[in-house]
Amino acid sequence: MDQVRIGIVGLGSMGTQHGKYLAGGEIRGAIIAAVCDMREERLQWAKQSWGEHIHTFTTLEAMIDSGEVDAVFVATPHYDHPDAAIRSLQKGMHVLIEKPAGVYTKQVRLMNEAAKKSGKVFSIMYNQRTNPLYQKLKELISSGELGEVRRTNWIITNWYRSQSYYDSAGWRATWAGEGGGVLINQDPHQLDLWQWTIGMMPARIRAFCYFGKHRNIEVEDEVTAYVEYPNGATGLFVTTTGEAPGTNRFEIAGDRGKIVIEDDQLTFWRLRVPESEFNRTYTGGFGSPECWKCEIPIHGNHPGHRGITQNFVDAILKGTELIAPGEEGILGLTLSNAMLLSTWTDSWIDLPLDEDLFYEQLQDRIRGSRFTKQAAPDQLLNTEGTH
């Protein structure tokens, strides 16, 4: 194979964005060969916009059975990601899914098992992993430059969303339609980067989620979570869609200093000697280790969505290592599931997560929902998969 024929399932906002750069020839070794959507008007729009050669289908089965595609790009609403991926993998398709991996880990684990059995390339659109800032952070931690991680704090409150945003589609911010709020919609990238950059998952989580605190919605729009790691480190994750102006500050303290990412800058407060060594040898009473403020240079561009898609295609054609293996989507989702479950049960949640309990609790909220809203008809088009 010297060219990957990609079929996109779901022509909402994200599916359309991905289709545009594929149709524009921006991904080496790939073409957009087909699109799949239940809405005939979106299929016709795709042919008119991207070329009459585009094959159109109203069902995923028809597309993956057509012989016209080698890989499927899943850009459907959240609940459908695992099912679409599983069906595509079982038919021999390579698969790239939009984030999140799904709504609940029990469903995503089945998807991961299907991917393993298929032997096909499976990736997830964690495009923030291509950001040089977070790549440098991961490098500094994994190389030992920061020393053992002792504390992580991420305040990510610049996800401001107005009531009109939530009213733009009937499925938004509902348990049945979206499966959650800020954690499942806005924060999947940060939850992924949180564990990816430091190289470990928490051992347990205690979270406080607030549902419809700032907006007329039934899902979480403000969260404060405290975590404990296997090595004794602690962490804090604070997020909301109801705060303006917001903050995006990620702080990691280690034995050799502290790293902060804020305002697209990475700053390393580097200790001349490790804190543990200073504490063991210093005899002067009051005092602290000598510290150097280092502005770490960041090189390279941030290819974002295109970077993950190009990497996916290169993995198919050349065997290139994936930046964001699809199987890793379950990690960030585990964190968000655990935060919700901690709130629902008013308790600490140990990891690995009790997946059956989370699923049962989620279904209880879907069945018990009395929440209704009416989206304006002209706002319903082209909303699936938007953030």
Side-chain angles (χ1 to χ4, degrees):
M1 183 191 301
D2 57 5
Q3 188 176 61
V4 180
R5 300 171 301 166
I6 295 178
I8 296 178
V9 53
L11 286 177
S13 177
M14 295 311 300
T16 300
Q17 285 186 42
H18 297 309
K20 285 179 179 178
Y21 64 73
L22 281 164
E26 297 182 46
I27 303 300
R28 298 181 305 278
I31 61 167
I32 179 170
V35 292
C36 174
D37 199 288
M38 293 185 297
R39 299 164 298 177
E40 185 63 33
E41 68 272 17
R42 294 303 294 156
L43 298 177
Q44 292 307 311
W45 176 89
K47 288 183 78 71
Q48 294 167 7
S49 301
W50 300 335
E52 288 297 322
H53 68 282
I54 301 290
H55 299 277
T56 59
F57 302 93
T58 55
T59 68
L60 175 61
E61 284 76 14
M63 186 172 78
I64 58 183
D65 286 338
S66 68
E68 300 295 343
V69 298
D70 308 302
V72 172
F73 199 144
V74 179
T76 58
H78 303 157
Y79 275 105
D80 298 332
H81 290 181
D83 180 62
I86 289 170
R87 285 188 281 160
S88 299
L89 289 162
Q90 290 176 341
K91 286 299 183 76
M93 300 289 108
H94 303 286
V95 173
L96 172 58
I97 61 169
E98 253 297 344
K99 60 84 180 170
V103 174
Y104 51 94
T105 58
K106 186 175 182 179
Q107 181 189 37
V108 171
R109 194 170 299 283
L110 295 175
M111 176 176 66
N112 287 354
E113 292 171 359
K116 184 177 181 180
K117 290 178 182 177
S118 74
K120 296 299 179 179
V121 174
F122 176 43
S123 185
I124 185 169
M125 186 50 74
Y126 277 151
N127 54 283
Q128 287 301 310
R129 289 193 183 190
T130 69
N131 188 329
L133 273 173
Y134 297 110
Q135 291 179 338
K136 176 59 72 173
L137 172 62
K138 182 175 176 63
E139 175 193 326
L140 290 170
I141 294 174
S142 63
S143 68
E145 191 70 26
L146 183 64
E148 184 180 31
V149 172
R150 294 182 169 184
R151 178 177 56 81
T152 68
N153 284 7
W154 203 331
I155 301 175
I156 173 71
T157 60
N158 61 344
W159 287 124
Y160 184 80
R161 296 293 186 269
S162 67
Q163 186 65 47
S164 64
Y165 164 83
Y166 291 111
D167 292 343
S168 68
W171 60 272
R172 285 196 186 281
T174 62
W175 294 118
E178 195 165 12
V182 62
L183 291 174
I184 199 74
N185 193 320
Q186 283 78 36
D187 282 321
H189 288 302
Q190 283 69 43
L191 292 173
D192 173 61
L193 292 172
W194 193 18
Q195 58 81 27
W196 181 68
T197 55
I198 67 172
M200 61 179 170
M201 288 279 285
R204 64 176 191 156
I205 296 176
R206 182 67 175 100
F208 301 88
C209 301
Y210 298 88
F211 306 99
K213 181 177 182 179
H214 303 289
R215 301 290 182 263
N216 182 33
I217 58 177
E218 66 177 354
V219 295
E220 80 284 355
D221 57 359
E222 182 176 311
V223 179
T224 297
Y226 174 81
V227 304
E228 294 179 350
Y229 295 97
N231 71 338
T234 60
L236 190 67
F237 190 85
V238 178
T239 190
T240 182
T241 56
E243 186 173 301
T247 297
N248 185 356
R249 178 184 173 92
F250 188 19
E251 180 174 306
I252 309 94
D255 190 38
R256 298 190 66 91
K258 178 176 70 176
I259 297 175
V260 174
I261 292 182
E262 189 171 21
D263 298 328
D264 294 323
Q265 300 291 323
L266 189 154
T267 305
F268 187 3
W269 278 270
R270 177 71 151 76
L271 299 182
R272 186 173 184 180
V273 298
E275 187 281 328
S276 56
E277 178 183 338
F278 180 86
N279 183 58
R280 185 175 63 253
T281 60
Y282 183 68
T283 58
F286 287 103
S288 61
E290 183 177 340
C291 182
W292 308 328
K293 182 180 180 181
C294 307
E295 300 293 343
I296 304 296
I298 304 298
H299 301 293
N301 62 352
H302 180 195
H305 296 115
R306 291 165 178 79
I308 293 294
T309 304
Q310 185 66 66
N311 175 247
F312 172 66
V313 171
D314 289 345
I316 296 170
L317 296 178
K318 307 174 186 178
T320 303
E321 183 179 356
L322 287 174
I323 295 171
E327 292 86 352
E328 294 182 8
I330 199 170
L331 300 176
L333 184 63
T334 294
L335 296 175
S336 65
N337 281 186
M339 290 177 191
L340 287 170
L341 187 58
S342 174
T343 302
W344 291 338
T345 61
D346 193 23
S347 64
W348 282 92
I349 299 299
D350 294 326
L351 299 185
L353 178 72
D354 186 335
E355 297 178 345
D356 290 326
L357 179 58
F358 178 83
Y359 179 75
E360 292 166 5
Q361 291 276 335
L362 176 62
Q363 297 309 304
D364 284 346
R365 276 145 189 84
I366 293 173
R367 287 190 296 266
S369 174
R370 300 294 181 267
F371 186 81
T372 59
K373 64 178 179 178
Q374 181 64 46
D378 63 344
Q379 292 178 309
L380 287 172
L381 183 63
N382 200 26
T383 55
E384 288 85 347
T386 60
H387 311 302

